C-alpha cells in the first residue's frame, strides 16, 4: 500500500459548492513544514513533481491530470491584473501556503496523466509481445 502526501487547495470562486481542487505532491513533509516559516528553502527540496494536478471528476478523487498554463493563469491570477509573476512556481506557492496537507492511499488511482495527448493511464498495445505491427 502506497501512501502519498499532497497539498490540496480549493480555489475560491462564486460556486463554492463545486470549487475546483488543485493538488501538489509533497515528497518531504518535514521540509515543507520548514518552508512555511522560511521561504528561502527551495521548492525543489520537497516537491515531488513540479506540476499542479486536478482530478478529472469533482474533488480530489479520480484520475489526476496536470493543468494547462492557461488554467493556471485563470484559476490563480485572473482576478488580479497587477500580478506580474503568473508562473507555475507562483501558483504552486499559493497552493502550498493556502492548501491543506493530506495523506492518502492513492495506489488505486495514482495513474497520473502527464501527457494527455499520448493517452491516459496504462497503455497497452495489441500484439507487441509477439512482435507484430498493425
Amino acid at each position: 500500500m502506497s501512501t502519498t502526501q499532497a497539498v490540496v487547495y480549493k480555489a475560491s470562486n462564486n460556486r463554492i459548492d463545486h470549487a475546483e481542487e488543485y493538488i501538489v505532491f509533497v515528497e518531504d513533509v518535514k521540509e515543507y513544514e520548514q518552508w512555511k516559516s522560511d521561504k528561502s528553502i527551495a521548492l525543489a527540496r520537497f516537491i515531488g513533481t513540479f506540476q499542479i494536478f486536478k482530478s478529472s471528476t469533482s474533488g480530489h478523487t479520480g484520475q489526476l491530470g496536470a493543468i494547462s498554463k492557461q488554467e493556471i493563469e485563470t484559476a490563480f491570477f485572473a482576478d488580479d491584473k497587477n500580478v506580474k509573476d503568473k508562473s507555475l512556481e507562483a501558483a504552486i506557492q499559493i497552493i502550498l501556503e493556502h492548501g491543506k496537507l493530506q495523506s492518502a492511499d492513492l495506489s488505486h488511482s495514482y495513474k497520473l496523466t502527464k501527457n494527455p495527448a499520448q493517452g491516459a493511464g496504462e497503455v497497452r498495445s495489441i500484439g507487441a509481445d509477439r512482435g507484430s505491427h498493425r
Side-chain angles (χ1 to χ4, degrees):
M1 204 182 299
S2 158
T3 300
T4 303
Q5 305 292 329
V7 177
V8 178
Y9 170 76
K10 190 174 238 185
S12 59
N13 61 21
N14 296 335
R15 304 171 316 179
I16 294 175
D17 293 345
H18 301 290
E20 298 285 355
E21 289 185 350
Y22 298 97
I23 302 163
V24 172
F25 291 101
V26 175
E27 292 282 320
D28 189 337
V29 175
K30 187 176 179 181
E31 287 277 349
Y32 167 60
E33 295 295 338
Q34 290 175 346
W35 174 86
K36 289 200 268 183
S37 60
D38 178 8
K39 299 296 191 273
S40 68
I41 297 173
L43 295 177
R45 291 184 57 141
F46 61 89
I47 296 293
T49 302
F50 211 74
Q51 290 181 309
I52 298 172
F53 294 94
K54 181 176 86 169
S55 175
S56 58
T57 60
S58 63
H60 57 273
T61 59
Q63 187 169 359
L64 301 175
I67 65 172
S68 68
K69 290 180 183 179
Q70 179 63 46
E71 188 169 356
I72 289 170
E73 188 169 323
T74 302
F76 295 95
F77 309 110
D79 294 340
D80 194 351
K81 303 292 183 206
N82 298 324
V83 174
K84 292 181 181 175
D85 185 6
K86 296 183 178 183
S87 67
L88 172 64
E89 184 173 346
I92 288 175
Q93 286 181 354
I94 290 171
I95 293 170
L96 294 173
E97 289 171 359
H98 303 289
K100 293 184 180 176
L101 184 65
Q102 295 186 0
S103 184
D105 174 20
L106 297 177
S107 59
H108 64 284
S109 64
Y110 195 56
K111 294 178 185 172
L112 301 178
T113 305
K114 293 185 179 176
N115 187 348
Q118 294 181 355
E122 294 180 12
V123 176
R124 297 177 191 222
S125 60
I126 298 172
D129 60 331
R130 293 185 301 249
S132 63
H133 299 280
R134 295 178 190 196

